[in-house]
Amino acid sequence: MAETAKPLRLLAQDAEDLAVLSAALQDAVAKIGDIRWDAQGRTLTVACNRFRWEALGQRAKAGERVRSALQFGDVTGVQARNLRRDAKGAVVELLSIGFEAAEEAPAGVVTLTFAGGGDMRVLVDCLDVALADVSDPWSTPRTPGHAD
């Protein structure tokens, strides 16, 4: 019987924690329609298919993806550049997540950088970020590649 993968569950409350989430989410893919900002609830949620870098070579020769949810709390605003919000089915690939503290800590700006030149700035009162795998992983024949 195959070993069941443990779902990833991570929280980020500072820049170091966020760097760990960024590494876990490198090369995640999402549809524009799966990025939702709830202004009243002050949350931004991104449903994505995360490449399981941590499992590469452990369980199988092929890579794996898993459905994951990333949620930012205490969001005061969201700005997107080079992302067509009206193209709900368009797929974006997440490259990295960074944080720049504001003059008045713990507020700041989280930047999600996507392949192709798009990015999203998430204005937060503080870092309150959660990442959770929400499905079983599945095999994928494609391992993301990066130019050196």
Side-chain angles (χ1 to χ4, degrees):
M1 179 177 260
E3 178 185 328
T4 304
K6 288 188 177 183
L8 196 61
R9 306 239 189 280
L10 298 172
L11 298 174
Q13 296 181 323
D14 61 30
E16 283 184 27
D17 293 346
L18 194 62
V20 173
L21 264 66
S22 179
L25 285 161
Q26 182 178 2
D27 301 308
V29 291
K31 291 182 180 176
I32 293 289
D34 288 338
I35 302 172
R36 304 205 178 206
W37 179 37
D38 176 0
Q40 186 174 357
R42 295 174 38 112
T43 60
L44 176 74
T45 305
V46 180
C48 62
N49 295 339
R50 182 178 74 78
F51 188 83
R52 295 188 69 238
W53 287 105
E54 71 277 12
L56 194 59
Q58 289 180 5
R59 297 172 6 117
K61 291 182 182 179
E64 293 179 342
R65 286 202 178 265
V66 63
R67 191 74 172 153
S68 300
L70 174 67
Q71 187 168 69
F72 297 87
D74 294 309
V75 176
T76 59
V78 177
Q79 302 165 335
R81 183 178 61 156
N82 296 329
L83 298 173
R84 290 192 44 206
R85 288 179 278 175
D86 60 329
K88 302 289 186 200
V91 176
V92 292
E93 179 181 1
L94 183 63
L95 298 178
S96 66
I97 304 173
F99 179 70
E100 184 178 325
E103 286 184 27
E104 292 189 31
V109 177
V110 176
T111 302
L112 286 79
T113 304
F114 298 97
D119 59 39
M120 185 173 290
R121 292 171 38 93
V122 183
L123 289 66
V124 296
D125 281 339
C126 66
L127 275 178
D128 179 14
V129 189
L131 170 65
D133 290 345
V134 296
S135 76
D136 289 330
W138 64 89
S139 291
T140 179
R142 294 194 176 112
T143 299
H146 298 274
D148 292 333

